[in-house]
Amino acid sequence: MKSLLLLTILAALAVAILCYESHESMESYELSPFLNRRNANSFISPQQRWRAKALERIREQNKPAHELNREACDDFKLCERYAMVYGYNAAYNRYFRQRRGGK
């Protein structure tokens, strides 16, 4: 009789522990992290989109020299491979400075 009572208490505890609904398990039911195509840009106003495009154009025009050098090196495979070993500055100097008649 004691063992039956002990077994019943252990079973009740096991059911209570395994069936507990925590707050963390409810997170997956809140909102889907994915949006459909129509609603993808609905949270950004057209004015913010226009401003972001304008700022991107300004950034493209005012790039620093090292960024322009890196982009030139990225377009040329040999320069890119050399840059992985020695760095972009050394790779740009090796492949592009000599062509311009520099050092």
Side-chain angles (χ1 to χ4, degrees), residues 82 86-95:
Y82 192 86
Y86 299 105
Y88 278 99
N89 194 25
Y92 182 82
N93 288 338
R94 177 177 176 160
Y95 287 100

Side-chain angles (χ1 to χ4, degrees), residues 8-20:
T8 306
I9 292 172
L10 287 175
L13 282 174
V15 167
I17 290 171
L18 294 175
C19 294
Y20 173 70

Side-chain angles (χ1 to χ4, degrees), residues 3 7-9 13 28 30 35-36 42 51 60 68 82 85 89 103:
S3 62
L7 186 62
T8 306
I9 292 172
L13 282 174
S28 61
E30 289 176 358
L35 298 171
N36 63 20
S42 64
R51 186 168 184 251
E60 282 289 325
L68 294 172
Y82 192 86
V85 177
N89 194 25
K103 296 186 208 178

Side-chain angles (χ1 to χ4, degrees), residues 21-38:
E21 191 68 35
S22 67
H23 176 67
E24 288 82 21
S25 65
M26 295 300 288
E27 288 178 359
S28 61
Y29 298 117
E30 289 176 358
L31 289 176
S32 174
F34 303 105
L35 298 171
N36 63 20
R37 290 181 182 179
R38 288 185 184 200

Side-chain angles (χ1 to χ4, degrees), residues 34-76:
F34 303 105
L35 298 171
N36 63 20
R37 290 181 182 179
R38 288 185 184 200
N39 296 334
N41 288 325
S42 64
F43 58 90
I44 298 176
S45 70
Q47 184 180 8
Q48 287 175 325
R49 256 184 256 139
W50 178 84
R51 186 168 184 251
K53 287 179 184 177
L55 289 174
E56 181 63 27
R57 280 191 223 112
I58 290 170
R59 272 188 242 118
E60 282 289 325
Q61 292 173 353
N62 298 328
K63 282 188 178 178
H66 66 85
E67 183 69 26
L68 294 172
N69 294 350
R70 185 175 182 148
E71 286 181 1
C73 197
D74 281 341
D75 292 338
F76 188 50

